[in-house]
C-alpha cells in the first residue's frame, strides 16, 4: 500500500487539462504543414536531385554517345560550356564544334544536293564532323596561344571584318539582307557569325605570330624583288615549295574572292609590285604584281608564302597525345573492321 497518495485535482485543473487536449488536436487541423514540413522538404530535394541527375545523364548520352546535332542540344551547349575535346590542357567548346559542323554540312548539302543513298549521306556527315572537330581543336589552341602571347581580337576588329564581308562582290548590303544570306548559306545568326569571325581572326593573328620562318622568307623575297626588278618568276627561282606562284592569265573582277590579291592589284600601277600583305583568310603573305587593269578588272601575278608553323605545332600535339577527343568521328567508324584494315 502506497504511503503517498496523489492529490486530487480540482475542477479548475481538470478543465484546464481538457482545454489543452482539445487545442492540441485542433492545431493538427489548423496547421497541417507544420507537422509534414520536414517530409515535404526532403521529398522536394530528392525529386530535384533525381531530376538533375537524369537531365545530366540524358544530356551526356545525347552529346557524347549519340552525338545529337539538333537545335535543342546545340542551344544547350551555347548556354553550358561543355567540352568536346581538350588540346594541350585547353577545353574545346562543344558549341564551336557544332557551329562549324552545322555550317559546313549545310554548305555541302547546298553545293552537292542529294547524294543518292544513306551510305553516301552518312559519309558526308562523318567527314563534316571530322573536319569540324579538327577546326574546333585548332581554334581552341589558337585561343590558348593568343593568351600566352598577349594577342587578342577587339570588338572593333570584328565590326570591321563584318562590314567588309557585307561588301563582298562590290554590293553594299544592309545588315538585315546580309544576315539573311548568312543564315541561308551558313545557317548562322548574327551572334554565331561574329563568333566565327572572332575565332578566324584570332587564329590568323596567332598563325602569323608563331611563324618566324615565313617572316624570314618574306624579308628574303623583298630583297630579291628589288634585285630582280620586280620579275616574280625570277624571284621564286630556287625557292622550291616554300612559295607559290600564280597568274590570273586574264582580267578578273577587282573584288574577286582570292585572298585580297585582286583588290590590292587594283591599287597598283602596271608593272608595280605590292608590299607584303596578309591574305584575307590569314593563311599566308602575298606579293602582287599588276599586269593589266581597267576600271573594274585586273590581271596580276602573285607570290604566296604559306604559313606552316601553326599546322606543324597542331600536328605535333596530335602525335604527342596532347589532343583528347571526347567523341569519335570519321567515316571509318561506319565501316566494318575488316574493311578498315584493308583500307589501311
Amino acid at each position: 500500500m502506497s504511503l503517498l497518495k496523489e492529490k486530487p485535482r480540482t475542477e479548475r485543473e481538470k478543465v484546464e487539462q481538457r482545454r489543452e487536449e482539445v487545442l492540441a488536436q485542433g492545431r493538427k487541423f489548423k496547421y497541417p504543414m507544420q507537422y509534414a514540413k520536414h517530409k515535404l522538404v526532403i521529398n522536394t530535394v530528392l525529386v530535384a536531385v533525381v531530376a538533375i541527375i537524369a537531365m545530366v545523364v540524358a544530356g551526356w548520352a545525347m552529346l557524347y554517345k549519340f552525338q545529337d546535332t539538333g537545335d535543342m542540344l546545340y542551344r544547350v551547349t551555347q548556354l553550358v560550356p561543355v567540352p568536346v575535346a581538350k588540346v594541350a590542357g585547353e577545353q574545346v567548346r562543344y558549341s564551336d564544334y557544332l557551329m562549324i559542323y552545322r555550317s559546313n554540312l549545310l554548305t555541302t548539302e547546298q553545293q552537292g544536293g542529294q547524294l543518292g543513298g544513306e551510305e553516301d549521306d552518312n559519309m558526308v556527315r562523318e567527314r563534316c564532323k571530322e573536319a569540324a572537330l579538327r577546326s574546333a581543336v585548332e581554334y581552341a589552341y589558337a585561343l590558348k596561344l593568343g593568351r600566352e602571347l598577349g594577342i587578342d581580337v577587339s570588338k572593333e576588329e570584328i565590326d570591321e571584318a563584318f562590314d567588309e564581308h557585307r561588301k563582298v562582290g562590290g554590293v553594299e548590303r544592309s545588315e538585315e539582307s546580309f544576315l539573311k544570306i548568312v543564315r541561308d548559306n551558313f545557317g548562322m545568326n548574327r551572334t554565331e557569325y561574329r563568333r566565327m569571325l572572332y575565332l578566324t581572326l584570332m587564329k590568323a593573328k596567332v598563325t602569323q605570330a608563331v611563324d618566324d620562318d615565313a617572316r624570314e622568307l618574306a624579308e628574303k623575297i623583298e630583297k630579291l624583288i628589288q634585285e630582280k626588278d620586280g620579275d616574280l618568276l625570277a624571284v621564286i627561282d630556287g625557292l622550291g615549295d616554300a612559295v607559290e606562284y600564280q597568274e590570273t592569265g586574264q582580267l578578273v573582277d577587282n573584288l574577286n574572292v582570292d585572298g585580297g590579291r585582286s583588290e590590292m592589284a587594283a591599287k597598283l600601277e602596271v608593272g608595280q609590285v605590292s608590299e607584303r600583305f596578309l591574305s584575307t583568310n590569314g593563311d599566308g603573305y602575298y606579293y602582287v604584281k599588276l599586269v593589266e587593269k581597267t576600271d573594274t578588272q585586273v590581271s596580276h601575278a602573285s607570290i604566296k608564302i604559306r604559313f606552316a608553323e601553326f599546322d606543324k605545332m597542331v600536328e605535333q600535339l596530335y602525335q604527342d597525345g596532347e589532343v583528347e577527343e571526347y567523341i569519335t568521328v570519321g567515316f571509318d567508324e561506319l565501316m566494318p573492321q575488316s574493311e578498315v584494315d584493308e583500307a589501311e
Side-chain angles (χ1 to χ4, degrees):
M1 183 176 180
S2 175
L3 297 178
L4 298 175
K5 294 183 178 180
E6 182 179 354
K7 183 179 179 180
R9 289 181 293 173
T10 65
E11 288 298 323
R12 181 182 179 84
E13 290 173 337
K14 291 178 181 179
V15 171
E16 192 66 30
Q17 181 183 2
R18 180 58 182 167
R19 178 175 176 275
E20 287 299 322
E21 291 174 355
V22 172
L23 290 174
Q25 291 295 325
R27 291 190 189 100
K28 293 182 180 180
F29 294 98
K30 187 176 181 181
Y31 309 107
M33 293 299 294
Q34 179 178 339
Y35 300 92
K37 185 177 180 180
H38 65 290
K39 290 185 178 181
L40 181 62
V41 172
I42 292 174
N43 290 340
T44 301
V45 171
L46 288 176
V47 170
V49 170
V50 171
I52 291 173
I53 292 175
M55 289 175 62
V56 170
V57 172
W60 176 89
M62 294 301 290
L63 288 174
Y64 297 104
K65 182 175 177 60
F66 301 109
Q67 295 184 32
D68 189 305
T69 61
D71 289 342
M72 187 182 74
L73 264 295
Y74 176 41
R75 300 309 172 195
V76 169
T77 61
Q78 290 178 315
L79 296 173
V80 183
V82 293
V84 68
K86 182 168 64 174
V87 51
E90 180 81 5
Q91 298 291 342
V92 182
R93 289 173 53 170
Y94 212 121
S95 58
D96 286 343
Y97 157 70
L98 285 180
M99 177 179 66
I100 299 167
Y101 164 72
R102 286 157 60 95
S103 177
N104 289 350
L105 181 62
L106 178 60
T107 303
T108 301
E109 290 176 341
Q110 288 178 340
Q111 293 175 348
Q114 296 296 324
L115 295 178
E118 182 179 352
E119 183 177 343
D120 289 335
D121 184 62
N122 287 338
M123 180 178 67
V124 169
R125 290 178 180 275
E126 289 304 312
R127 289 307 185 205
C128 284
K129 287 181 179 179
E130 196 171 29
L133 185 55
R134 176 70 180 229
S135 294
V137 166
E138 291 178 357
Y139 285 132
Y141 187 54
L143 294 177
K144 173 183 171 65
L145 290 180
R147 288 197 303 272
E148 295 173 354
L149 297 172
I151 298 172
D152 198 8
V153 174
S154 67
K155 177 181 177 299
E156 290 71 25
E157 288 176 295
I158 298 175
D159 291 340
E160 182 179 350
F162 186 89
D163 290 339
E164 285 296 322
H165 286 203
R166 283 199 300 119
K167 301 172 185 176
V168 169
V171 179
E172 184 71 28
R173 300 178 180 87
S174 68
E175 182 172 320
E176 182 179 357
S177 63
F178 174 66
L179 288 176
K180 184 180 185 305
I181 294 173
V182 169
R183 182 173 62 254
D184 293 342
N185 290 276
F186 305 106
M188 294 183 182
N189 58 31
R190 188 177 190 276
T191 300
E192 292 162 346
Y193 194 73
R194 288 179 66 85
R195 171 69 179 175
M196 195 70 241
L197 287 176
Y198 169 72
L199 293 174
T200 304
L201 292 171
M202 193 68 179
K203 181 183 174 184
K205 282 190 174 186
V206 170
T207 299
Q208 182 180 9
V210 300
D211 207 318
D212 293 333
D213 290 343
R215 190 160 45 251
E216 292 174 3
L217 180 57
E219 293 171 357
K220 179 179 180 180
I221 286 177
E222 286 173 5
K223 295 179 181 178
L224 289 173
I225 289 174
Q226 295 293 328
E227 294 174 4
K228 305 295 183 180
D229 196 26
D231 185 346
L232 298 189
L233 274 175
V235 168
I236 66 170
D237 185 34
L239 295 180
D241 296 335
V243 296
E244 300 174 11
Y245 176 81
Q246 286 186 336
E247 295 179 358
T248 60
Q250 60 184 4
L251 290 168
V252 297
D253 193 278
N254 289 353
L255 298 174
N256 188 42
V257 180
D258 56 8
R261 286 173 290 177
S262 293
E263 187 176 357
M264 175 61 72
K267 301 175 183 178
L268 304 175
E269 298 298 329
V270 174
Q272 184 181 3
V273 179
S274 72
E275 296 182 349
R276 177 181 72 192
F277 66 96
L278 185 66
S279 66
T280 54
N281 61 2
D283 66 345
Y285 295 123
Y286 276 124
Y287 292 94
V288 172
K289 180 178 181 178
L290 179 63
V291 177
E292 181 184 0
K293 75 174 179 178
T294 67
D295 291 340
T296 59
Q297 293 181 309
V298 292
S299 173
H300 59 76
S302 63
I303 291 176
K304 182 175 184 179
I305 305 170
R306 185 177 295 279
F307 296 138
E309 185 60 28
F310 181 81
D311 290 340
K312 292 178 182 177
M313 294 169 70
V314 172
E315 192 60 42
Q316 191 63 49
L317 290 172
Y318 275 98
Q319 293 178 10
D320 294 342
E322 288 292 311
V323 179
E324 183 180 359
E325 298 175 348
Y326 302 146
I327 60 174
T328 302
V329 297
F331 184 62
D332 289 348
E333 299 304 315
L334 305 175
M335 299 170 60
Q337 187 59 44
S338 59
E339 295 184 25
V340 175
D341 294 339
E342 290 178 5
E344 295 176 349

